[in-house]
Amino acid sequence: MLNQISAVLSDADKAEIKASLAALEAKMPFLKPITVKQTMDRQNLGDSKDQVLKGINAMKLRPDIMRGTFMVAEYFKDLEFHGQLYELQQELAALQEKLNGTMVWLGQDMMANTREVYDALQREVKDDPSLQPLLDEMAPYYAKTKKADTTPPTPVK
């Protein structure tokens, strides 16, 4: 039996975690979702932060070159806010990575254990035919897996 993850969240802990997440979200009312189309409609920062820093430097040296409705102070504020959010994003990303990893490990445990159950059904059905319906329910999945496992790899040229 595979058991890489062995834990349970109590209802109270789960409720507390959810409340903490809700509190985090409430502290950031400025968060906005974005669609794929919206990300494609305008230029995104990506790896171009160096370019933004050059623009900030130009504004520090010569704020007088900007005319009209351009708000120099808002430009500086955006840079500072981006740095603050980036730090939070990195911490949340590390937590998300651990959560994702735990889900993978847990899924592997469950699939390995389910395979053991299936193997036991195959072994025991001979002595107890009442297990056949359970075996029949599970068999199609393992038939597909078996076919995939026996497919020879494509040769590399």
Side-chain angles (χ1 to χ4, degrees), residues 135-153:
L135 183 62
D136 290 346
E137 272 187 292
M138 295 179 79
Y141 175 84
Y142 291 103
K144 285 187 237 173
T145 305
K146 213 180 257 186
K147 288 178 188 171
D149 290 344
T150 60
T151 305

Side-chain angles (χ1 to χ4, degrees), residues 39-45 48:
T39 63
M40 294 171 37
D41 285 348
R42 299 175 86 181
Q43 189 174 8
N44 296 300
L45 180 62
S48 305

Side-chain angles (χ1 to χ4, degrees), residues 1-151:
M1 178 171 182
L2 199 58
N3 195 24
Q4 301 170 91
I5 300 292
S6 180
V8 174
L9 276 178
S10 69
D11 288 343
D13 285 346
K14 184 178 166 188
E16 187 178 335
I17 290 167
K18 285 182 158 193
S20 295
L21 292 172
L24 285 174
E25 188 172 359
K27 285 283 189 187
M28 299 184 282
F30 46 78
L31 294 178
K32 292 172 67 171
I34 192 166
T35 66
V36 172
K37 183 183 181 324
Q38 289 168 323
T39 63
M40 294 171 37
D41 285 348
R42 299 175 86 181
Q43 189 174 8
N44 296 300
L45 180 62
D47 293 330
S48 305
K49 190 169 181 193
D50 188 49
Q51 188 66 13
V52 172
L53 295 175
K54 291 174 185 174
I56 291 286
N57 188 48
M59 286 297 89
K60 286 179 181 176
L61 295 173
R62 292 291 308 276
D64 59 299
I65 64 169
M66 299 309 297
R67 297 186 183 118
T69 60
F70 189 86
M71 296 181 280
V72 175
E74 190 65 27
Y75 189 40
F76 290 121
K77 184 176 149 186
D78 286 350
L79 178 69
E80 182 180 350
F81 189 48
H82 185 275
Q84 292 170 334
L85 287 183
Y86 182 78
E87 185 180 332
L88 295 175
Q89 182 187 43
Q90 295 307 299
E91 290 188 33
L92 288 171
L95 181 60
Q96 179 71 44
E97 189 175 324
K98 289 178 182 177
L99 182 60
N100 290 345
T102 301
M103 292 296 289
V104 169
W105 286 114
L106 188 55
Q108 289 175 348
D109 280 356
M110 292 175 3
M111 288 307 296
N113 293 331
T114 300
R115 181 59 198 226
E116 285 189 42
V117 169
Y118 179 72
D119 291 346
L121 285 170
Q122 283 184 309
R123 183 180 59 251
E124 298 297 322
V125 75
K126 295 171 187 98
D127 295 328
D128 184 354
S130 71
L131 297 173
Q132 190 64 50
L134 296 171
L135 183 62
D136 290 346
E137 272 187 292
M138 295 179 79
Y141 175 84
Y142 291 103
K144 285 187 237 173
T145 305
K146 213 180 257 186
K147 288 178 188 171
D149 290 344
T150 60
T151 305

